[in-house]
Each structure stands twice: as C-alpha cells, then as structure tokens.
Amino acid sequence: MDIRVDPQPEADLPADVLERARAVAAAPVSLVTGVDVALIAGGGMPVEAGNLVDYVARAANDFASQIRMEKGAERVAALRAELARRGLDGFVVPMADEYQNEFVPRHAQRLAWLSGFLGSAGAIIVLADKAAVFVDGRYTLQVRDQVDLEVFETRSYLDVPKWVGETMKTGQTLGYDPWLHTETGVKALLEACEKAGAELVAVDGNPIDAVWTDQPPRPLARIVPHDLRYTGEPAADKRARMAEAVKSAGASALALSATDSIAWLLNIRGADVARTPLALSYALLHDDASVDLFVDERKVDAALGAHLGNQVRVEPEAALALALAGFRDKPVMVDPASAPVWFVDRLEQGGATIVRKTDPIQKAKALKNPAELNGTRAAHKRDGVALAKFFCWLAANAPKGTVDELSAVERLQAFRQQGDLFRDLSFDTISGAGPNGAIVHYRSSERTNRTLALGELYLVDSGAQYLDGTTDVTRAVAIGTPSAEHRDRFTRVLRGHIALAMARFPKGTTGHQLDVLARMPLWQGGFNFNHGTGHGVGSYLGVHEGPHSISPRPSSVALEPGMIVSNEPGYYKEGDYGIRMENLVAVVPAEPGEDDSPFYELETLTLAPIDRSLIDPAMMTGPELDWLNAYHRRVRDEIGPRLDDKTRAWLEAATAPITA
Amino acid sequence: MDIRVDPQPEADLPADVLERARAVAAAPVSLVTGVDVALIAGGGMPVEAGNLVDYVARAANDFASQIRMEKGAERVAALRAELARRGLDGFVVPMADEYQNEFVPRHAQRLAWLSGFLGSAGAIIVLADKAAVFVDGRYTLQVRDQVDLEVFETRSYLDVPKWVGETMKTGQTLGYDPWLHTETGVKALLEACEKAGAELVAVDGNPIDAVWTDQPPRPLARIVPHDLRYTGEPAADKRARMAEAVKSAGASALALSATDSIAWLLNIRGADVARTPLALSYALLHDDASVDLFVDERKVDAALGAHLGNQVRVEPEAALALALAGFRDKPVMVDPASAPVWFVDRLEQGGATIVRKTDPIQKAKALKNPAELNGTRAAHKRDGVALAKFFCWLAANAPKGTVDELSAVERLQAFRQQGDLFRDLSFDTISGAGPNGAIVHYRSSERTNRTLALGELYLVDSGAQYLDGTTDVTRAVAIGTPSAEHRDRFTRVLRGHIALAMARFPKGTTGHQLDVLARMPLWQGGFNFNHGTGHGVGSYLGVHEGPHSISPRPSSVALEPGMIVSNEPGYYKEGDYGIRMENLVAVVPAEPGEDDSPFYELETLTLAPIDRSLIDPAMMTGPELDWLNAYHRRVRDEIGPRLDDKTRAWLEAATAPITA
C-alpha cells in the first residue's frame, strides 16, 4: 500500500522545522532514543513532540514505500527521456553512494528506486532499448524476484564488460556520476567501453535525481563524540599519527570520503545510515594534523564542537569543491579504491598532484588498541547473555511450532536491547528457517516468513552495535531431531571453523593463506561454500571493514594483532537448508616461535553455544573435540553467572562436554 | 690445483676437431654414453677416440678450475678497467644466461667466474669502488664462504634497489647485458636506478666476456628426438595447438628463448647443460604452426632433421637478429618474464608490435598427458627400487660409521644407473649429515664431507632423469636412535606432508592456497621452513618448472590435472640437523563434488619408505596414521616384488604398519 504524507496536521509548523523533520526521517530512528525531536526543533520555538514523531514516522514510511518493483517500467522510461535530453545513450547506476559504504541512505538508493532490487551489491546499466541488472552469485535468485523482468535482464556482475561490448555501439556514450564511482571502478568501466568503441562520460548532476521527483532529502542525525574510554586514543593523537603517514607518503593532505575513516579519526559517531554509526561527511587531513570536516552543520552541536577542538574546522559540504581546487602544485593523497573519482577530477582541475595510496586510516582503524579489544570482549559477553536467552527461548518454543522467522528476529532484538551500551543492531538479522537458510543474504519478510518446523534447520546470523564494540554471530540449530546429512554437513563446517580457530601462524601470514583451513573438511566431501570465510569488524563501527579478510580471493594484507575478523564457514543446500558457524575472533600475539620470531593466534570473542545435536563426534579428531569442549566450558563460565536460573540450567546442558 | 691443457698430444688433430672437442667438453659428459666422439669427429677423418676422450676430460677440468674465489680481486679489477674503457660506472652480473634456465653452461657462469660464488641464484653489481653479491636467504651463509669478502660485500637480494640508491650517484651509468635480463627484470633495475638518478644502459657485448680470456666455448651436444611413446603427442600436433594459442592472443608469432618450451614443443632433447636435457637454442613459432629453430647446426644430425620435418627450419643462431627484425607492423608474442629484453629491443627496432603474454607452452607443458603420467609412474617405480636398495645399504652400513656424504652420493647414483631408461641425475644430490642437513641447498664437497654418525640425522635429496620421467625425492633418516626432538620435528613435518597429500580441492584452487596445510603442524609449535612447499616437475625435462607451485608466495596459477608438483615441507636447525620430507605428486581428478563440480586430488608418485623411527604416532591423528600405513603398504606392494630377498626383507620391516 502506498501511504502518502498528509500535509494537513503539519500546516502550522514552520517550513524549516518540516524540512528538518523530513531529513531526520531520512535517517534511521534510534532504537535507544527514538526520534530526535530537539534536532528537528532546531533550538527554536517549542513544538508538539507527538505530532512531530508522527510526522517523521509517516515520512519514513513514505520513503520506504517508494521502492517498488512495479514502477520499474515507468521509472526507466523517465530516465531514458532524461538521458535523451542530455544526449546520452546510456547510464550506469551503481549500488553505492558517494561514501562507498554498504548501508546506503534513502536518497541515494537510486538503484533500488529504479528497479526494486534490494540486495547489497550490484549495478544497473540503462540503454535506450535495453537495461540490465548485474548482481553477484549471492543475488542470482533474489534479483529475479525483485525486479520486473520485462524491463531488466539479469546478469552476473562479471559480465558487465561483455554486456557492454555486445550491446553498445561504436561512438555511443555511456554516462556515469563521478560522485558514485571510485577511480578503480571507472577504470573497469573505461576498459569495457573502449572494447565496444563507446565513450564513457561523466555527468554533471545525477539524471535519476532529475526524474525522482519525491526523492528523500539527505539524512539528518546528530553527530556525537565517541568517548575516550571506548576509543582508547584521543583524536588529536590519531590526527597527528595519520598526518605522519600522509607526510611519509609524500603528500601534504589526505582527501577522505570514507565515513568510517572519518569517524575513527575524529572519535565521532553519527546516525545517518542504518546499522552503522556513521555521519555522512568528507574530510581533508592536512600534514599539520588539522582537519577540514565538510558536513551538514545542523548535525554539529556545541558539545561536538568542543570535542572536535580548534584543529578541526567544520565547513558545509558545498565548500569541498573549492577546498579541493586549492592544492595547486601540492601532492594530495587519494585512495583510488574508496574516494569518488570526482575528488581526483576536481584536484586535477585545481592543479594538484594525486598521490594514489590506500587510505592509511583503514589499517590503523583495523588494529584495535587494548581499550577497543577490552571493549569488544565486554560487548561480546553482553551479547552472549542475549544469545543464551534467545536460544533457550528458542529451544523451549520452536519445537511447539509457535516460532517463525520474524518473531524470532523480534525476540532476539528484545533480548539484545536489554543489554547495557546497546545502540542498534549491526545489520538486519538473517533469520532463515529450512530452505530460507540456504539463501546466504536472506532477509525475512511477511511474504517469505516461515514457521520453524521440526526436522528442519534454522539459521540465524545477527549482531549488535554496542558503544564498546560491534558483534556478529551465526548459529545453525536443529529444530527437533536433525538428519544424518544435517549432522554430517554441520560437523564438516564446524571442523573448518575449529581448524581456523586453532591456527597459530607467523607474522606476515594473510587471511588468504589461512582460508583453506576452514574449507578442507567440506572439500574432502566434495562440498564448498560460495562466500569468504571472514571479514574484518569494526569497534562500534562497520560490521564489515577492511583491509583484511579471510578469503579465497587473493589479498596481500597480513593478519596483525588487534585485527578483528569473522570465522564463518558454511554450507548451503538450495531449497533445503543452510548452515553457517560464525564467531568473531581477534588476532593476538601467540607465544613467540623459534628465535623469538613473532607468531599470532586467534582469540575467540563470541560466546554462544554450538548446537550439540548437530555434531557427529565420530567425525572429529581428539584436538577438535578438545577445542569444542573448552569453548563450551568458557561460554558456561563467562555467560552462566549472568543468567537467571532457568536459562543457566539450559546453558549448562547445551554446553556439556562431548566425547567421541 | 690449476690443471692447464697441454696442447702436445693433440698437435696432430685438425683445428676444427679440436674446436669441437673443446665445445663438447663445455657440455656435461653423459653418464650413459660417455664422450660423443662421433660428434667431435664430425663425420670426417677417423680420429683416435682414447686421445680425444682424454682431451675432453682435461678441457672440462680446465673449465671447472677457472671458478676460483681467490681470483676475485684480479678479475673485478679487469672488469673495472673494461667498464672504464667503455665509459660505464657500473655493471650488473646476473646468475642467468640467455635462456634463464637454472643450470647455466660453463661459458655463461660469469657470476661464478667473477666471484667464486656457486649458488643457483644471485646477482653481482660492480661499481668503480664497490662491489656487492646479492643472494637470497638460502645462500646467506654459503656466499660468505665462497667469495672474497675484501672484494665483495654480501647483501640480501631484496636490498638491490636500496643498495643502488645508496651507492650510485646522480648521472652515473649502470650497464647491463640485454641478453641476460628479462624485461621484467630490467624494470626492477630501472626503478632502482631512477630512484638513484642513475641511468641504466644496455651494453653491446658482455664486458666480462672481453676480459675472460680463456672463457670456455658454448657447449656442443647432439640433439635427439624424444620418442612419441614418452611424449604422448606428436610435435606437429603440439605446434598446431600452440599456434592456435598464439593466434588467439592476437599474435602472428611467438619468440621463444625458453629451452624447455622448445624441447617440449618439438619433442627434442639436448645435452648442453647439466642435469636437464636441454639444447641451447631460440625459436620462432609462427601462426601457421611452422617453426624457425635457431641452433648450432653441428648439433643437428640427419635423424633429427627427419624427426623435425619440413615445417621446422633449422637456422644458425646468428640468423635470429635478422628474423626478429622482419616483423614490421606485425604482432609478436614475447613472455616478458622469460625472454631476454634483447628480443623486445630487436623486435621494436624492426617495427613489430609486442604482445606481452606468459609463454603459453609453459602451461601446456605442465599439463602432462596420460603417456607422460604413465611414464612418470613407471620411472618412479624404478627410482623406488634404487631408493630401497640405497636405504637398505645405508641401514646396514651407516651405523658402523663407514658411510660419508660423498660415498652415499656415489652409492645412490650407482643404484639409479642400474635402472632402465636412466639418463642422468636430475640435480646434484644433496647429501647432508648432521648440521650439513640444515643447509637447504647444500652440496657436499671434499672440504665439507662428513661421516654419518650415530644419533645424527642424515638428509638426502636426489633425483634422476629417465627417458620416461623426472624424479625428485627427499628423505631424512636417523642414524642409530633419534632424539625426542628429532622425532617431534620430523612428525610435524610429516603431518604437514600428509595434510597436503590428503587434500581434495575444487577446480581453481592455487598452490598458494594449499601451502598452509603443509606448515600448520610446524607453526603450531612455533616452527617454520624458509622455502616453498612445492615446485613443478617436468617430464624428462626440468626438475623445477612452472607455472605452478605450492608456496607462501602469491600465485594465481590454479593446480590442474596433469601437473606434477613436489610436496616437501621441512625443518632446519642451524648447526644441528635438517629434515625434509619430499614426494612428488600429480594433480588428478577426484570424485566430482556436489552438482558434479570438478574436484582434484594429489596422487603420490614417489615410492620410498619414510623412516619409522622418526615418527611419534602419539602426535598423529587416526586419518594421518591411516595415510602413512596405506602409503607404506603401497611402497611394499609396488617395490617389494622388484627387489632381491635381502632388500625386500628390509623393506617389509621398514614399511610395517604403525599404530598410535
């Protein structure tokens, strides 16, 4: 149903209040504090809070309802008319916004608005007579459900160059918005166009924005300081340290669009996008350790100003263009894989020299300091309490047939919200019963919701944002009695998880090297899983962060102490069930090796029982069973004392030792 | 002692016979056929064979005796004078010859001649007032023994750019011989020079050749057809198949300097360098599948001419320059990582377009066909017989203190020479007793020879060239009773070996991904080994070949069925002992995985017992012990029936099952 905003009740409110209210509605509403009425009021006249909260809810609902598959034909037609007006033969619509962050705010969900596709990665190319949605393996099925196949063909993301080569003609022009593509991304598009003899053209102003008449505003949410007790390092020290990195790379400034880098650098957190406390902004870090922060100034209150100090100049986003143009003959560092190519264009127009280097903040941010590591350990204990309560509740209720995917999600969130320092989920919970568990990036909806049924597996992948740490955990559990096949596959996945968890490795080892450990027990049976084994995780920041990973994809980034990474092998049988076994781990120093050479190991952070009914101990080696029993003892010892009697009794049974 | 050739006895021989005799002496003498007197005679007047054989032996001795560390100062001084004469400030002396093969013929051992260093990898840079030998980690100790440290400083190979940056001054010139460097290699040198502000200059004629007055001639050895029963594919088919690859890469010809590629392509084998049946030559493969083979025509007899057929034109090496200059406006494929940069220079001067691609023959050669795989299986059985005899003899004699490293090498070679189709060793045997076993690329000499002693480990790494296959095997054995530490380290190495041997993996998996399997049991104890886990092996060709490997060094080359690769983790305790456990394995199809997806596994080719006294079964898992016992049963079943009673009895005990 398409609920439109009724302007009547707000007729008495001033235009600027309504404008702020719509912008607040374009940001997610805090699970902890609700709608930020004071921000909407803007320190001006008193306003009726109830009315405002209602208005924000309706506006948010309106924004959400704009994503509609059945509008695809009409919207693509409007876009085509706009392209024709501009003399363009085609246009690339990426998933990303200017910040290349995985959670994209409402106004920048252009791909979803155009097509209805709600995956987290992909691209659309619209030509005069053809349009295609390109997605990766995770979304092959989902995309066909979510877009109008009369309007779009669906293709593999890898086919972009081939498709461009086949469909575009010599001399044709393909437009792209230089704000929404990195230089690395544009290079790939350029190659594809060159092969087709087509020309790739940067547009001035996104043509979708021109036809999206009720496009939501940019989100408005207050930016807050992130306390030193959680960050462990004052922002001034971080600025000085990173300014040294900029200088030693031969640059006089670093141009930043990565909002997680900015959040870490300045010890600030925002609320502009879902599930990650980011503030949409740009920044220039100068070699004198001062920063220009380009941001909607309504988000910055006095407390934040005091926190930032006089070495951080807050400026409106519109001032960025002029600032980038002011580096004539100076070297400016840009990460070609994360900054919009618009940065590079603008800097070059201004006569700056581009120093192309990986953003040094990404690695610095990945190396958690002791305060951050202790914070995440504490957060994982609180998360473990919520998980124990949830799985205890699930064990009692699911076999009765009274639990479905959506009610499970609600219950799990409720348990988490009881924990101290909880701010939000870290991503939308994946709650997949039976065959839905086999969809790797499944999100339950009313349409797909399933009751958890006896004899089936249930997969739940979830996480939370606490002020002191970000969590991410997956468990597969059997509802009732699992089959022999369930146990075989689960035990293989678990053995892979344990092989990685037990790894000890010398300095310099990459996650790419370790990846095979998590796969070999599956490979031995002719099975595999079609995703990485581990992604980096932030400290009250992104639940997916770089630069490290554990993956079959080549990477030269070594795992270093302080990095947090997930350990999540899985197995998926389409149309039947899904298994994933995910704990977060931290890279920590191990006992040094021979000649005192540095060795590292993985400290498991996540504390939640592993379903014993899914384990076949006969398939496991002695050291694997030892690991499992020691892990369960740890869960019992650390989480048990924080539980009520009933839940503790359940946990003790759920973590009892297993022998071969 | 410097034995000079006495010209007297040869006074009666014609000059061309003597010239051929010296050139034959510059090639290794066949262990099977001895000196090729007919080749020296050249089909001309009859000559006295005994006299000639004697002459060849003395000439070879003379060539070998030219490598002398104590001449370093004098030779570097002569080189400096030559550089000054040419107006060069420095010169790079690589280990490689024009063919970038690991076994370098006498006349091209310029680095060894200049310095005395006998390692298999390294480089020297000579400046007016400084000279440095750059070696990798394997040779850090050896180089300090073999070069005059008054003349050369010794540095890590990784330090070349740093050293050039520190020692060369702006405007200085560094010479290099474009025949001896690949384009990839030159790029690295260029970068180093650019940083120093120095200029890298290609020389015309190697300045070392100008001062090396008694430089041996280029080697002369007969080229022979390699029979279809061993190659499994007629050369005409190979030429056609590779011509297709050249065409599909958009080239009209492929310029080849890789002598192993040429040998495989034409089904020919030579004898110009030690331990690998290669013929020094260049070739052009045209898109019509015809070949120009540039080679010393004295090596080509009528039988070979018939084998090559009329699609292969034999031309003198001197004709290559003109041929490369004849590709105006045509695309020519060159492998920038294997061809001399001289090829590129010459082609560009002639107006050709360079298509830079990895030589497609390298991969085609690595994918052994059924005839080659069956050949190598048969060769490994004969090799296994020799190994059983050797280890039986060793077990009987070493504990008496009557065996030393050199006598063991002799005995092992003698056993191998008894086998059918034996042609040569595939590399100089590494025979290291006690602490010598810890030197990864150790070669015993009279000076370093050690008696095998009770309580010590003995490491022997050896292999042979059979017409039907190339072998390479390492075993560590305990002389008398090993220590608990020996057993612990050996069992870790063995567990790593077994983890790799048991691997099953999907299509697309690289050796880089699998490498960690062979290391984890060592890493768990804080140990490691400082070399790759596996290298490719040829089919009666190089004992080290690409493009695949199993290594911590990143590689995107997937392991594919037909590839032969070594599985050789190790452990080295400097000054004490060395352990390496090496079998060759072939990548073969495994039972397909789910959805019929291709999976591969490793078939072990090498058949030799693993010293049971070094195994601690308590450290091993059930599946590891099962692998070990099944392997030993296979050795017993396949090798036992080919042995005399005494050796068979020994083998049965040596391969008896072990239980935990």
Side-chain angles (χ1 to χ4, degrees):
Chain A
M1 200 176 60
D2 192 359
I3 302 171
R4 309 301 302 178
V5 176
D6 174 5
Q8 290 318 113
E10 290 77 38
D12 299 339
L13 291 171
D16 67 318
V17 170
L18 282 183
E19 188 192 335
R20 283 195 297 271
R22 272 178 59 82
V24 165
V29 173
S30 166
L31 292 179
V32 177
T33 60
V35 173
D36 192 339
V37 175
L39 179 61
I40 299 175
M45 55 178 251
V47 288
E48 209 275 288
N51 196 12
L52 270 185
V53 168
D54 188 48
Y55 179 82
V56 166
R58 277 180 292 131
N61 200 354
D62 167 50
F63 299 155
S65 70
Q66 294 184 10
I67 312 291
R68 285 160 62 189
M69 159 181 170
E70 70 275 17
K71 294 274 189 183
E74 172 188 327
R75 290 171 182 177
V76 166
L79 176 60
R80 283 183 173 138
E82 175 67 17
L83 296 179
R85 203 183 61 75
R86 300 190 186 197
L88 289 169
D89 297 305
F91 186 66
V92 188
V93 185
M95 182 63 75
D97 68 358
E98 300 89 315
Y99 311 97
Q100 300 289 328
N101 184 61
E102 71 175 295
F103 295 100
V104 176
R106 286 288 182 204
H107 76 282
Q109 292 179 12
R110 297 179 180 91
L111 190 150
W113 176 82
L114 188 67
S115 66
F117 176 57
L118 287 169
S120 67
I124 286 178
I125 300 181
V126 175
L127 303 179
D129 52 356
K130 278 203 166 109
V133 195
F134 301 90
V135 299
D136 62 40
R138 295 173 294 177
Y139 294 114
T140 313
L141 299 176
Q142 179 178 328
V143 70
R144 302 186 62 84
D145 263 1
Q146 294 185 332
V147 310
D148 182 345
L149 298 174
E150 302 278 310
V151 179
F152 297 98
E153 56 177 311
T154 65
R155 299 286 292 259
S156 158
Y157 204 87
L158 301 171
D159 287 347
V160 170
K162 201 176 155 213
W163 190 87
V164 169
E166 285 169 6
T167 55
M168 295 205 68
K169 298 182 190 67
T170 307
Q172 285 195 321
T173 52
L174 181 65
Y176 73 98
D177 182 343
W179 278 103
L180 307 186
H181 298 264
T182 65
E183 197 172 20
T184 307
V186 167
K187 262 188 199 150
L189 282 175
L190 254 180
E191 273 173 35
C193 284
E194 272 169 11
K195 276 192 191 160
E199 197 190 346
L200 190 69
V201 182
V203 301
D204 192 7
N206 195 299
I208 290 185
D209 298 359
V211 298
W212 188 354
T213 48
D214 52 354
Q215 188 175 27
R218 293 171 60 82
L220 176 64
R222 200 182 294 267
I223 305 177
V224 296
H226 193 39
D227 201 283
L228 185 60
R229 97 188 79 162
Y230 306 126
T231 66
E233 184 179 11
D237 293 6
K238 290 181 175 178
R239 284 191 280 104
R241 194 149 68 86
M242 292 300 104
E244 282 308 311
V246 170
K247 272 191 277 190
S248 71
S252 60
L254 166 63
L256 285 169
S257 63
T259 44
D260 58 347
S261 286
I262 296 171
W264 178 89
L265 180 68
L266 301 177
N267 287 343
I268 60 175
R269 296 296 185 269
D272 285 334
V273 298
R275 309 307 188 199
T276 314
L278 298 172
L280 301 189
S281 55
Y282 306 104
L284 285 167
L285 169 63
H286 298 274
D287 55 6
D288 66 356
S290 76
V291 164
D292 293 298
L293 177 65
F294 302 92
V295 66
D296 183 336
E297 287 170 286
R298 297 175 297 179
K299 298 176 183 175
V300 181
D301 62 17
L304 185 72
H307 165 78
L308 292 172
N310 60 13
Q311 285 296 94
V312 179
R313 296 168 291 271
V314 177
E315 293 161 63
E317 286 169 294
L320 176 66
L322 210 63
L324 290 179
F327 284 99
R328 175 159 303 280
D329 297 332
K330 284 192 185 157
V332 178
M333 195 165 164
V334 174
D335 186 336
S338 78
V341 70
W342 185 90
F343 275 30
V344 174
D345 296 346
R346 196 72 202 162
L347 284 163
E348 283 179 344
Q349 284 161 19
T353 318
I354 311 293
V355 179
R356 288 174 177 83
K357 291 254 182 198
T358 301
D359 170 6
I361 296 176
Q362 289 286 313
K363 168 122 178 248
K365 176 168 62 60
L367 302 176
K368 272 69 178 176
N369 60 35
E372 290 170 316
L373 286 173
N374 286 332
T376 202
R377 287 182 187 114
H380 275 93
K381 282 181 196 159
R382 291 192 301 280
D383 214 48
V385 169
L387 291 164
K389 289 176 183 169
F390 171 72
F391 286 116
C392 173
W393 169 84
L394 195 74
N397 292 282
K400 295 187 258 173
T402 59
V403 179
D404 64 25
E405 294 169 352
L406 291 173
S407 65
V409 168
E410 262 178 49
R411 188 57 72 125
L412 178 53
Q413 176 173 325
F415 284 131
R416 279 202 165 104
Q417 285 186 278
Q418 295 167 7
D420 287 345
L421 308 185
F422 173 88
R423 308 312 283 174
D424 195 357
L425 301 183
S426 58
F427 58 98
D428 294 336
T429 299
I430 297 171
S431 172
N436 287 342
I439 303 169
V440 174
H441 281 69
Y442 177 67
R443 294 293 183 277
S444 340
S445 65
E446 294 294 350
R447 194 167 65 82
T448 62
N449 193 19
R450 276 178 66 98
T451 298
L452 279 54
L454 284 175
E456 292 193 346
L457 297 191
Y458 169 62
L459 182 146
V460 55
D461 185 352
S462 68
Q465 294 285 4
Y466 300 92
L467 281 177
D468 52 356
T470 302
T471 67
D472 181 3
V473 50
T474 310
R475 289 293 182 273
V477 295
I479 310 303
T481 307
S483 70
E485 179 183 313
H486 289 152
R487 284 159 53 91
D488 176 272
R489 302 303 183 274
F490 183 85
T491 305
R492 290 177 190 277
V493 169
L494 177 62
R495 291 185 65 214
H497 178 94
I498 293 174
L500 190 55
M502 294 201 301
R504 181 180 169 192
F505 49 89
K507 180 179 172 174
T509 304
T510 65
H512 179 58
Q513 285 176 268
L514 298 183
D515 178 75
V516 68
L517 299 173
R519 292 178 196 271
M520 192 49 76
L522 285 159
W523 286 0
Q524 291 290 2
F527 311 112
N528 203 354
F529 56 97
N530 190 20
H531 57 73
T533 299
H535 54 82
V537 176
S539 184
Y540 188 42
L541 266 180
V543 74
H544 298 128
E545 70 169 26
H548 56 295
S549 65
I550 299 175
S551 170
R553 253 188 300 180
S555 161
S556 60
V557 179
L559 293 176
E560 292 183 43
M563 286 175 168
I564 297 175
V565 63
S566 66
N567 172 1
E568 50 177 315
Y571 172 76
Y572 310 93
K573 187 166 181 182
E574 199 185 313
D576 198 344
Y577 62 92
I579 291 168
R580 188 158 61 251
M581 169 60 217
E582 176 186 29
N583 283 344
L584 297 192
V585 298
V587 183
V588 294
E591 200 182 313
E594 222 174 14
D595 307 324
D596 265 337
S597 60
F599 268 76
Y600 306 142
E601 62 193 2
L602 303 173
E603 174 192 332
T604 295
L605 299 168
T606 304
L607 296 166
I610 299 163
D611 188 348
R612 294 163 79 256
S613 77
L614 282 169
I615 299 170
D616 179 357
M619 292 171 66
M620 294 174 70
T621 66
E624 288 166 354
L625 283 170
D626 291 347
W627 182 93
L628 176 73
N629 290 327
Y631 176 70
H632 268 159
R633 188 167 53 242
R634 204 184 133 206
V635 174
R636 202 161 61 238
D637 292 350
E638 305 215 27
I639 303 300
R642 297 157 172 251
L643 299 175
D644 59 277
D645 289 352
K646 192 187 118 203
T647 312
R648 189 168 55 248
W650 172 84
L651 183 68
E652 279 175 15
T655 57
I658 292 185
T659 48
Chain B
M1 199 177 61
D2 191 358
I3 302 170
R4 309 302 303 181
V5 176
D6 176 1
Q8 287 322 108
E10 290 78 37
D12 299 339
L13 292 171
D16 69 317
V17 171
L18 282 184
E19 189 193 334
R20 282 195 296 271
R22 270 178 60 83
V24 165
V29 174
S30 164
L31 292 179
V32 177
T33 60
V35 173
D36 191 339
V37 175
L39 179 60
I40 298 175
M45 57 177 252
V47 287
E48 207 275 286
N51 196 11
L52 269 185
V53 169
D54 188 48
Y55 178 82
V56 166
R58 276 179 293 131
N61 200 356
D62 167 50
F63 299 153
S65 70
Q66 293 182 10
I67 311 290
R68 286 160 62 189
M69 158 180 170
E70 71 274 17
K71 294 274 188 183
E74 172 188 326
R75 289 171 181 176
V76 167
L79 175 60
R80 283 181 172 139
E82 176 68 16
L83 296 180
R85 201 182 65 74
R86 300 191 186 195
L88 289 168
D89 296 306
F91 186 66
V92 188
V93 185
M95 181 63 75
D97 67 359
E98 298 90 317
Y99 310 96
Q100 301 289 329
N101 184 60
E102 71 175 296
F103 295 100
V104 175
R106 286 290 182 200
H107 77 282
Q109 293 178 11
R110 297 179 180 92
L111 190 152
W113 176 82
L114 189 67
S115 67
F117 176 58
L118 287 170
S120 68
I124 286 177
I125 300 180
V126 175
L127 303 179
D129 52 355
K130 277 198 167 113
V133 195
F134 301 89
V135 298
D136 62 41
R138 296 173 294 177
Y139 293 114
T140 313
L141 299 174
Q142 178 178 328
V143 69
R144 302 187 62 83
D145 262 4
Q146 293 186 331
V147 310
D148 183 344
L149 298 174
E150 302 278 310
V151 179
F152 297 98
E153 56 176 310
T154 65
R155 299 287 291 261
S156 158
Y157 204 87
L158 301 171
D159 287 347
V160 169
K162 201 176 154 210
W163 191 87
V164 168
E166 285 167 5
T167 54
M168 296 206 67
K169 296 179 193 71
T170 307
Q172 285 196 322
T173 51
L174 181 66
Y176 73 98
D177 182 343
W179 277 103
L180 308 186
H181 298 263
T182 65
E183 196 172 22
T184 306
V186 166
K187 262 188 199 151
L189 282 175
L190 254 180
E191 274 174 34
C193 284
E194 271 169 13
K195 277 191 189 160
E199 197 191 346
L200 190 68
V201 183
V203 300
D204 191 8
N206 194 299
I208 290 184
D209 297 0
V211 298
W212 186 354
T213 48
D214 52 355
Q215 188 176 27
R218 293 171 60 82
L220 176 63
R222 197 182 297 268
I223 306 177
V224 295
H226 192 39
D227 200 284
L228 185 60
R229 95 187 82 162
Y230 306 126
T231 66
E233 184 180 10
D237 293 5
K238 290 181 176 179
R239 284 189 282 104
R241 194 149 67 87
M242 292 300 105
E244 282 309 310
V246 169
K247 272 191 276 190
S248 71
S252 60
L254 166 63
L256 285 169
S257 62
T259 44
D260 57 349
S261 286
I262 297 171
W264 179 89
L265 180 69
L266 302 177
N267 287 344
I268 59 174
R269 297 296 186 267
D272 285 334
V273 298
R275 309 307 189 199
T276 314
L278 298 172
L280 301 189
S281 55
Y282 307 104
L284 285 167
L285 168 63
H286 299 273
D287 55 7
D288 66 355
S290 76
V291 165
D292 293 295
L293 176 65
F294 302 91
V295 66
D296 183 336
E297 288 169 285
R298 297 175 298 179
K299 298 176 182 175
V300 181
D301 61 18
L304 185 72
H307 164 77
L308 291 173
N310 60 12
Q311 284 296 92
V312 180
R313 296 168 289 271
V314 177
E315 293 160 62
E317 285 168 293
L320 175 66
L322 209 62
L324 290 179
F327 284 98
R328 175 158 304 280
D329 298 331
K330 285 195 186 154
V332 179
M333 195 167 166
V334 174
D335 186 337
S338 78
V341 70
W342 185 90
F343 274 30
V344 175
D345 296 346
R346 196 72 203 165
L347 284 162
E348 283 180 344
Q349 283 161 21
T353 317
I354 311 293
V355 179
R356 288 172 176 83
K357 291 255 181 194
T358 301
D359 169 7
I361 296 176
Q362 290 287 311
K363 171 127 177 244
K365 174 168 64 61
L367 302 177
K368 272 71 179 174
N369 60 34
E372 291 170 316
L373 286 173
N374 285 331
T376 201
R377 288 181 187 115
H380 275 92
K381 282 183 195 158
R382 291 193 300 281
D383 214 49
V385 168
L387 290 164
K389 288 178 183 167
F390 171 72
F391 286 117
C392 174
W393 167 84
L394 195 75
N397 291 281
K400 294 187 256 172
T402 58
V403 178
D404 63 26
E405 294 169 351
L406 291 174
S407 66
V409 168
E410 262 180 47
R411 186 58 70 125
L412 178 53
Q413 176 173 325
F415 285 129
R416 280 201 164 103
Q417 285 186 279
Q418 294 167 9
D420 286 344
L421 307 185
F422 174 88
R423 307 313 282 176
D424 195 356
L425 301 184
S426 58
F427 59 97
D428 294 336
T429 299
I430 297 173
S431 171
N436 286 342
I439 303 168
V440 173
H441 282 69
Y442 177 67
R443 293 296 183 275
S444 341
S445 65
E446 292 295 350
R447 194 168 64 82
T448 61
N449 193 18
R450 277 178 64 97
T451 298
L452 278 54
L454 284 176
E456 292 192 347
L457 297 190
Y458 170 62
L459 182 148
V460 57
D461 185 353
S462 68
Q465 295 284 5
Y466 300 92
L467 281 177
D468 52 356
T470 301
T471 67
D472 181 3
V473 50
T474 310
R475 288 293 182 272
V477 295
I479 309 304
T481 307
S483 71
E485 179 183 312
H486 289 152
R487 283 159 54 93
D488 176 272
R489 301 304 182 274
F490 183 85
T491 306
R492 290 177 189 276
V493 170
L494 176 62
R495 291 186 63 215
H497 178 94
I498 293 173
L500 191 54
M502 294 199 303
R504 180 178 170 192
F505 49 90
K507 180 178 174 175
T509 304
T510 65
H512 179 58
Q513 286 176 268
L514 297 183
D515 177 76
V516 68
L517 298 173
R519 292 178 197 270
M520 192 50 75
L522 286 158
W523 286 358
Q524 291 289 4
F527 311 111
N528 203 354
F529 57 96
N530 191 19
H531 58 71
T533 298
H535 54 81
V537 176
S539 185
Y540 187 42
L541 266 181
V543 74
H544 298 127
E545 71 169 25
H548 57 296
S549 66
I550 299 175
S551 168
R553 255 189 299 181
S555 161
S556 59
V557 179
L559 294 176
E560 292 184 44
M563 287 178 167
I564 297 174
V565 62
S566 66
N567 171 359
E568 50 176 316
Y571 172 75
Y572 310 92
K573 188 167 183 182
E574 197 185 315
D576 199 344
Y577 62 90
I579 291 166
R580 189 158 59 249
M581 170 61 216
E582 178 187 27
N583 283 344
L584 298 192
V585 299
V587 183
V588 294
E591 200 183 314
E594 221 173 15
D595 306 323
D596 264 338
S597 59
F599 270 76
Y600 306 143
E601 62 192 2
L602 303 173
E603 174 192 332
T604 295
L605 300 169
T606 305
L607 295 167
I610 298 164
D611 187 349
R612 296 164 78 256
S613 77
L614 281 170
I615 299 170
D616 179 357
M619 293 172 64
M620 294 174 70
T621 65
E624 288 166 354
L625 282 169
D626 290 346
W627 183 93
L628 176 73
N629 290 329
Y631 176 70
H632 267 159
R633 188 169 53 244
R634 200 182 137 207
V635 173
R636 202 162 60 236
D637 291 351
E638 304 218 25
I639 303 300
R642 299 157 171 249
L643 299 175
D644 58 278
D645 290 352
K646 194 185 117 206
T647 311
R648 188 169 56 247
W650 172 85
L651 183 69
E652 278 175 14
T655 58
I658 292 185
T659 48

